[in-house]
């Protein structure tokens, strides 16, 4: 259990982050509602130049299909460009270490992973990628994937706004997400990270002689800029294979706290944006309270055992903040790690599973909000069945088609998680990378595909999973886990356009009572769906007395 001082520190970090998110929300809302800003003079000419080059009419709105496929086309084109860079990096500049190009299956996995905001890494960055690859193929995709998530979330909200005729223009939203949100926010974050000791350079690795007289390479590079977008954009893919457990990515407790706050910031901002765009700020209550109540439950589960110590725990961070980070990084689908997951207690891993399976605690920026509204629709449908009333949300009747769409979005994840997990064992692919069939081994493989499906990216296997099966299988799961739910939920939002509204009808959804019902329904849905598999994974490992996952 945590001490009073530790509880206060957690509450302070969360409280300050929520307040900052609340303060930033009007600015972000203005970015997507066309509100004039003093920054128009700076960004306006650049954005208009982009629209002219692309031949985009910024005034033309899109329906859900056009919006979704515009985003999908842009993302796939970016994957292709990144694939060329990674494949031929050995012949390209900014490669002072002389790294060769990646294999086809690792390239396939990496570009899909980073273009979908998943950032699952089956490679060690500092020993595999050139500076050009890190700054273009990797950081480039981290910006664009984060922007895509923001755009899809904002477009989804527009469908619920009274009077909306379309979901907006993807190309406009995408451009403004990068120029007005991600670049300025990341610039501030990167400067602070440099001040805290994170390196930012394009010089080659430094060869030094240690005090004992041994030769050692100091692995540096453009690290601060990557960490900024990695955490702020809920990406998670790090410059080093050890991710934020590596001292240059996360050098001290101050950087650790900052990076935790960065992960939570944009997902929380978009919760406030939801209410502001609707013109009903009270509708933020069930989304925000529901998300952080579920997050609090995850924290409570993770803090039941004593903070882990010893092998795998970074001493400069400590077991308590390692556990806190693990819960945060899986709650917001970031996937970065500041310690090895194998050092974590089974209950901490169970908490991580809950964050990835629910995906809205508060989830990734944009997509987490979409999932929470999905749960709201499911909850209203169930309550309507129990009370004999037609379910309604924001004054609009929820139809049978709406319920079918949200159930498709919910059920796609069990399928793409469990099927490849079974195939990995049935085909001997798990055993081939040294994973056993006991509770520890099953947890590791189940976690791999859960992380991929949730677009989280944290995993137990690391570079051991750099095999054709795991590279291709996780890439397919990542792709489906990203685009199927987004497409289905955008279809739900698009169906709301022009729907008749009766503001006085339906269950009140802007209070704490509905928040409690919402939390309960989410827990029941997730637990009923995944409990059998969690029972033979982390729960069984706990009952068997394991204190970590080193086997």
């Amino acid at each position: 259990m945590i001490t009073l001082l530790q509880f206060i520190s957690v509450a302070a970090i969360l409280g300050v982050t929520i307040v900052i998110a609340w303060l930033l929300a009007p600015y972000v809302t203005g970015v997507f509602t066309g509100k004039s800003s003093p920054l128009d003079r700076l960004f306006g000419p650049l954005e208009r130049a982009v629209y002219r080059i692309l031949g985009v009419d910024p005034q033309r709105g899109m329906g859900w299909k056009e919006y979704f496929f515009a985003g999908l086309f842009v993302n796939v084109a970016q994957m292709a460009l990144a694939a060329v860079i990674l494949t031929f990096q050995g012949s390209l500049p900014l490669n002072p270490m002389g790294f060769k190009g990646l294999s086809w299956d690792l390239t396939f996995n990496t570009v899909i992973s980073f273009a979908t905001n998943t950032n699952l890494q089956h490679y060690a960055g500092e020993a595999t990628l050139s500076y050009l690859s890190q700054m273009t193929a990797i950081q480039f995709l981290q910006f664009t994937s984060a922007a895509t998530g923001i755009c899809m979330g904002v477009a989804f909200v527009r469908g619920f706004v009274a009077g909306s005729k379309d979901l907006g223009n993807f190309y406009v939203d995408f451009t403004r997400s990068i120029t007005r949100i991600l670049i300025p926010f990341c610039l501030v974050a990167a400067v602070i990270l440099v001040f805290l000791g994170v390196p930012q350079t394009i010089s080659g690795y430094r060869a030094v002689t240690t005090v004992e007289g041994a030769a050692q390479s100091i692995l540096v590079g453009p690290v601060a800029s990557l960490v900024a977008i990695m955490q702020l954009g809920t990406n998670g893919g790090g410059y080093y294979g050890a991710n934020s457990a590596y001292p240059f990515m996360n050098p001290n407790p101050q950087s650790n706290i900052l990076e935790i706050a960065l992960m939570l910031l944009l997902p929380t901002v978009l919760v406030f944006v939801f209410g502001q765009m609707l013109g009903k700020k009270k509708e933020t209550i069930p989304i925000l309270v529901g998300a952080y109540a579920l997050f609090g439950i995850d924290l409570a589960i993770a803090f039941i055992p004593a903070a882990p110590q010893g092998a795998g725990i970074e001493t400069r961070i400590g077991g308590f903040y390692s556990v806190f980070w693990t819960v945060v990084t899986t709650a917001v689908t970031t996937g970065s790690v500041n310690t090895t997951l194998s050092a974590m207690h089974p209950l901490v891993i169970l908490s991580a599973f809950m964050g990835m399976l629910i995906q809205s605690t508060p989830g990734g920026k944009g997509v987490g909000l979409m999932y929470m509204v999905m749960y709201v629709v499911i909850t209203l449908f169930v309550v309507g069945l129990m009370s004999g009333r037609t379910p309604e949300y924001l004054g609009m009747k929820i139809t049978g088609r709406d319920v079918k769409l949200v159930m498709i979005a919910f059920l796609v994840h069990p399928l793409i998680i469990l099927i490849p997990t079974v195939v990995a064992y049935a085909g001997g692919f798990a055993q081939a990378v040294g994973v056993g069939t006991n509770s520890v081994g099953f947890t590791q493989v189940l976690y791999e595909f859960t992380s991929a499906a949730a677009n989280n990216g944290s995993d137990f296997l690391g570079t051991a999973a750099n095999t054709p099966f795991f590279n291709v299988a996780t890439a397919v799961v990542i792709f489906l886990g990203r685009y199927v739910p987004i497409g289905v939920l955008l279809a739900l939002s698009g169906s709301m356009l022009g729907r008749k509204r009766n503001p006085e009808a339906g269950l009140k959804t802007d209070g704490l009572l509905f928040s409690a019902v919402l939390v309960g329904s989410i827990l029941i849905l997730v637990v009923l769906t995944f409990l059998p598999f969690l029972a033979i994974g982390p729960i069984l490992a706990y009952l068997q007395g394991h204190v970590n996952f080193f086997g």
Side-chain angles (χ1 to χ4, degrees), residues 195-198 247 249-257 259 316-317:
F195 177 77
L196 292 175
V198 179
M249 283 186 64
N250 186 17
N252 48 56
Q254 292 75 26
S255 65
N256 195 72
I257 292 173
E259 292 180 33
R316 71 184 187 282
I317 296 168

Side-chain angles (χ1 to χ4, degrees), residues 52-64:
R52 285 195 298 271
I53 294 172
L54 297 178
V56 171
D57 178 4
Q59 303 303 319
R60 189 177 73 83
M62 297 178 174
W64 78 265

Side-chain angles (χ1 to χ4, degrees), residues 361-412:
T361 57
K365 73 258 139 299
V367 178
L369 174 62
M370 296 171 76
Y371 269 98
M372 186 57 86
V373 175
M374 175 193 79
Y375 288 125
V376 168
V377 173
I378 294 175
T379 300
L380 289 171
F381 173 69
V382 173
V383 171
L385 288 178
M386 295 173 64
S387 62
R389 300 175 58 181
T390 301
E392 297 181 349
Y393 184 46
L394 301 176
M396 298 178 289
K397 289 185 177 181
I398 297 173
T399 66
R401 179 176 180 273
D402 298 335
V403 176
K404 290 177 183 177
L405 288 173
V406 295
M407 291 312 300
I408 290 172
F410 176 77
L411 292 173
V412 68

Side-chain angles (χ1 to χ4, degrees), residues 220-240:
V220 292
V223 182
S225 58
L226 190 146
V227 172
I229 186 58
M230 155 191 160
Q231 302 294 73
L232 189 68
T234 66
N235 285 284
Y239 184 88
Y240 301 97

